Amino acid sequence: MSSVPTGVVPFSKMVSDVESISFVVLANKEECRTKDGKPYYRAVFADANRQVVCPIWSNTHYFQECRDQWTIGKFYKIRAIYRETNYGPKLEIRKIREANLSDKQFGFDPNQCRPTSRIAPEILRDELLTLAKVHIGKGPLLMLVQKIFKEHQNRILETAASGFHHHVYVGGLLEHLLSVTRIAILLVDHYRTFYPEIKSRISKPLVVAGAILHDIGKIFEMENTGGRHQHTLEGDLIGHFILGRDLVHYFGPLMGVDPKTQLQLEHIIIAHSNPDWGAPKIPMSLEALIVHHADFSEATFTTAMKTILSDDSQTDLTHRKGPLGTPLLISTTDKQK
């Protein structure tokens, strides 16, 4: 039996089966259907350290309010019960309204409601720049990476890697860049060792610089509006491939990057993804291939991981196809734990 709430509790510190008052952001809202074809909404509420699914069933009085009034990216004051279940954490809303400025006296802070990388963005940035120093080495290429990170520090720290599929939180871009760079280093070391005849034809500094900068255009493509990460007008009309290439094209010559290296780096940036996902070119160099596959592996895996961790299916498969276009197996061993 739940207790009576006595004060505001940070959302990430709500205790299972205890009714509490907290401030949250509506991170996502998706219309779904039950197996019987009945509509319901799959709302996701979050703060900086926790995301919880809240099914809004069609036979509850919140269904119409959720459909017509609840807005992704808006902040809300809730009275709810948080529950740990075999299928992941769930939330039962007892009372909800949009947060306002007067709530600040009760501890409402929008920054604490925004989902953030589990690792502080400043730590992610520092580790990424350390990898640059170690694997790129002194010279214009390293200076280019450092210059871009210095000139656009705040944007880089705050930008998400996407608006929906993966790393959808403050620091998400840095988390993605660091993971891709680590994978790219593993790949370039593997191929240079396993195929020694090609070692001299793969530039490790170029691979690492390309991995670090492959998504840098997202600092102009994405914006955080009220806790919701979405495309800017530049992002919609131009896209991060060209925006990133333009940024590198501007700073490269200023840092003394030679024209051939500059050209190859720009190619990595515009060819790091699939043409179906907006990439202007397919990879045409060994370095571009390595960054392309490192990025694909990281983005695909984290998208699958997010789908599994946030799914509320009671079967062995996720209840929806999700961004990967197929239901995913949920480990029954993990469920039992």
Side-chain angles (χ1 to χ4, degrees):
M1 181 177 294
S2 63
S3 63
V4 177
T6 57
V8 174
V9 176
F11 187 57
S12 57
K13 297 186 182 299
M14 287 178 69
V15 178
S16 186
D17 299 317
V18 176
E19 187 173 311
S20 306
I21 297 172
S22 191
F23 294 105
V24 294
V25 64
L26 181 61
N28 196 27
K29 183 180 76 171
E30 180 183 6
E31 186 176 4
C32 303
R33 296 272 172 180
T34 65
K35 291 181 179 179
D36 298 330
K38 295 179 180 179
Y40 74 97
Y41 279 92
R42 186 174 179 277
V44 180
F45 290 98
D47 70 355
N49 300 300
R50 174 183 277 172
Q51 286 196 6
V52 183
V53 172
C54 179
I56 308 297
W57 308 109
S58 59
N59 60 352
T60 65
H61 67 282
Y62 283 123
F63 180 81
Q64 185 174 347
E65 183 178 334
C66 173
R67 181 191 64 199
D68 299 336
Q69 300 177 30
W70 294 3
T71 304
I72 296 174
K74 294 275 189 173
F75 301 102
Y76 294 89
K77 183 178 182 179
I78 63 170
R79 182 191 296 257
I81 297 178
Y82 169 79
R83 298 191 191 281
E84 294 283 356
T85 76
N86 291 334
Y87 306 102
K90 295 289 181 292
L91 198 66
E92 295 179 14
I93 299 290
R94 297 298 173 86
K95 194 173 182 180
I96 182 170
R97 68 163 173 81
E98 191 171 336
N100 54 55
L101 293 178
S102 66
D103 288 318
K104 289 188 175 182
Q105 63 181 312
F106 302 110
F108 171 53
D109 181 355
N111 289 326
Q112 293 182 2
C113 292
R114 295 186 177 105
T116 306
S117 171
R118 69 191 191 286
I119 305 171
E122 292 80 6
I123 294 176
L124 295 168
R125 174 204 59 199
D126 292 347
E127 183 171 348
L128 201 53
L129 291 176
T130 297
L131 288 178
K133 287 183 181 179
V134 171
H135 297 284
I136 297 176
K138 295 181 180 179
L141 210 49
L142 176 63
M143 292 169 59
L144 170 61
V145 171
Q146 293 173 330
K147 179 67 172 177
I148 290 175
F149 270 65
K150 182 179 179 180
E151 291 291 322
H152 299 283
Q153 178 175 236
N154 291 337
R155 282 178 177 262
I156 291 172
L157 289 171
E158 296 174 2
T159 301
S162 72
F164 178 75
H165 297 314
H166 66 93
H167 301 93
V168 190
Y169 39 76
V170 172
L173 176 61
L174 277 168
E175 189 176 313
H176 173 65
L177 293 179
L178 178 58
S179 186
V180 169
T181 302
R182 286 177 174 175
I183 295 170
I185 290 170
L186 291 173
L187 288 176
V188 73
D189 286 344
H190 166 73
Y191 287 121
R192 284 167 53 122
T193 301
F194 201 71
Y195 299 105
E197 67 272 22
I198 205 75
K199 179 177 180 179
S200 63
R201 301 194 180 204
I202 304 176
S203 169
K204 187 174 185 180
L206 190 56
V207 167
V208 175
I212 293 173
L213 297 175
H214 79 278
D215 262 350
I216 198 64
K218 288 189 175 180
I219 65 175
F220 303 118
E221 181 181 59
M222 304 296 300
E223 63 181 349
N224 186 343
T225 305
R228 184 180 185 182
H229 301 276
Q230 57 190 12
H231 279 193
T232 63
L233 184 59
E234 287 179 287
D236 282 330
L237 296 182
I238 300 175
H240 72 278
F241 299 95
I242 304 303
L243 292 170
R245 181 264 180 186
D246 287 350
L247 186 64
V248 169
H249 188 75
Y250 174 77
F251 280 112
L254 295 179
M255 297 298 104
V257 178
D258 70 88
K260 185 176 181 180
T261 301
Q262 177 79 29
L263 182 61
Q264 290 179 280
L265 180 58
E266 291 178 19
H267 173 68
I268 291 174
I269 291 172
I270 65 172
H272 73 261
S273 189
N274 293 317
D276 289 344
W277 296 350
K281 297 289 291 185
I282 63 172
M284 297 173 63
S285 69
L286 296 177
E287 293 86 358
L289 275 168
I290 288 173
V291 174
H292 169 87
H293 286 292
D295 174 62
F296 180 79
S297 172
E298 211 280 333
T300 304
F301 182 85
T302 51
T303 297
M305 180 175 65
K306 177 188 172 187
T307 301
I308 290 171
L309 292 177
S310 65
D311 196 87
D312 54 2
S313 170
Q314 298 185 13
T315 68
D316 290 331
L317 296 175
T318 55
H319 81 285
R320 56 198 172 89
K321 292 184 177 181
L324 297 182
T326 182
L328 299 172
L329 178 67
I330 303 173
S331 171
T332 53
T333 302
D334 287 344
K335 282 186 178 182
Q336 292 168 358
K337 289 181 181 179

